[in-house]
Amino acid sequence: MFFDQAPYDIKLDWGQRGARAAAERGDIVIIVDVLSFSSTVVTAVQHKANIYPYPPPANEQAKAYAKELGAELIRGRAEAVRTGGHSLSPLTFSSADYERDFVLCSMNGAACTWIAAQAPALLVGCLLNASAVAETANRLRLELGAAITVVPCGEKWPDVVGSENNLRPGIEDYLGAGLILSKLTGNKSAEAEVCIGALRSSGQRIRELIWECTSARELRGRGFEADVTYCCQVDISYAVPVMQHNRFINILPGLTAELNGQAAAPKKN
């Protein structure tokens, strides 16, 4: 196929359709949703919480799934502000969440991870953990003998119907993907090289550009400036979320052998 970016080791694909294609061809997948799924998952996992992604919307099915797991269903930002609890804001997670279970729905990041769940290794990356996730992916590529596809999730146009056909590219995810790609070793596709070029041409203005991008302006307009500031930080976390048994945990030495043939998550009584 012309669209699989073969025979390159390091690739880039966008959104849900790109995540699906990468998983189907057996690539290691790195999901990048800077504002804010990836940043939230990285932060939660850093605090030793377990995150179960679930496709949107956060409806009765999602609530039933959370209840089955004995987990907390993460709320929208506005609802969390009114009633307390955790939200898609990474700043709602702390060391108090050690070993707690959460179900996280989101229109972009969670949807992409759900679609790509059968990849030989499914990781989450962002600016916060760019070096750590790249280092881990480089090791996994050698151990598993698989290519790597970095998937910037992007956003969705609100007035377009269709789960995989309403992608609005987001520069925050593109720049985050570029930073991760720049640290990956291997033969890079043209798509990956151009993404790295976008990062390098941005120079020292990455934070400024993300602050002024559409997604950040939306969050700032809703009063979540602190989220944008936090998510723009580079390499402040060593946490590398990896999907295992339907949940994201921090990858540990010796875990590689367990990444294939993942079993369903055990039910909790």
Side-chain angles (χ1 to χ4, degrees):
M1 290 291 295
F2 294 111
F3 302 109
D4 62 7
Q5 298 175 47
Y8 296 101
D9 303 316
I10 310 299
K11 312 170 187 179
L12 178 133
D13 257 320
W14 274 96
Q16 294 180 42
R17 187 64 186 86
R20 183 186 303 281
E24 288 176 351
R25 63 180 175 248
D27 290 354
I28 297 163
V29 177
I30 304 175
I31 298 295
V32 182
D33 185 353
V34 171
L35 298 173
S36 303
F37 174 85
S38 290
S39 300
T40 300
V41 173
V42 167
T43 303
V45 165
Q46 178 178 299
H47 291 303
K48 304 298 191 294
N50 297 314
I51 300 293
Y52 292 82
Y54 195 79
N59 56 16
E60 293 304 317
Q61 288 181 311
K63 292 177 182 177
Y65 181 64
K67 182 177 181 180
E68 177 185 3
L69 295 171
E72 176 185 330
L73 179 63
I74 295 175
R75 304 172 181 179
R77 282 183 172 87
E79 183 181 359
V81 168
R82 292 193 305 269
T83 63
H86 298 77
S87 76
L88 195 56
S89 167
L91 298 175
T92 59
F93 287 87
S94 70
S95 58
D97 299 314
Y98 179 79
E99 291 190 344
R100 293 186 62 187
D101 295 335
F102 298 89
V103 171
L104 175 55
C105 295
S106 79
M107 293 296 291
N108 303 301
C112 287
T113 58
W114 188 265
I115 286 172
Q118 297 307 310
L122 178 58
L123 312 176
V124 169
C126 57
L127 297 174
L128 303 177
N129 73 337
S131 292
V133 74
E135 180 181 352
T136 299
N138 284 330
R139 174 169 57 82
L140 288 172
R141 185 174 73 83
L142 297 177
E143 294 179 3
L144 298 176
I148 300 171
T149 295
V150 178
V151 180
C153 294
E155 301 289 341
K156 291 185 177 179
W157 291 105
D159 56 349
V160 178
V161 178
S163 61
E164 293 182 355
N165 299 312
N166 56 356
L167 173 71
R168 175 175 65 78
I171 68 162
E172 71 280 8
D173 296 342
Y174 201 53
L175 292 173
L179 183 58
I180 295 168
L181 286 164
S182 72
K183 299 173 184 293
L184 293 175
T185 57
N187 194 14
K188 296 180 174 68
S189 71
E191 289 79 3
E193 291 282 7
V194 170
C195 186
I196 294 170
L199 169 82
R200 290 176 176 165
S201 71
S202 300
Q204 301 300 313
R205 299 182 61 221
I206 295 175
R207 294 187 185 187
E208 174 190 345
L209 292 171
I210 293 178
W211 180 262
E212 288 298 333
C213 77
T214 302
S215 301
R217 293 180 65 166
E218 178 190 12
L219 282 177
R220 292 194 287 119
R222 294 166 53 198
F224 298 107
E225 297 92 340
D227 281 0
V228 179
T229 299
Y230 174 81
C231 294
C232 284
Q233 299 176 95
V234 174
D235 283 341
I236 66 166
S237 176
Y238 292 103
V240 180
V242 60
M243 177 74 83
Q244 186 191 29
H245 305 308
N246 298 335
R247 74 191 190 279
F248 282 114
I249 62 172
N250 198 14
I251 192 166
L252 300 172
L255 185 62
T256 308
E258 302 178 36
L259 293 178
N260 287 314
Q262 299 172 23
K267 294 182 180 180
K268 298 185 177 183
N269 295 323

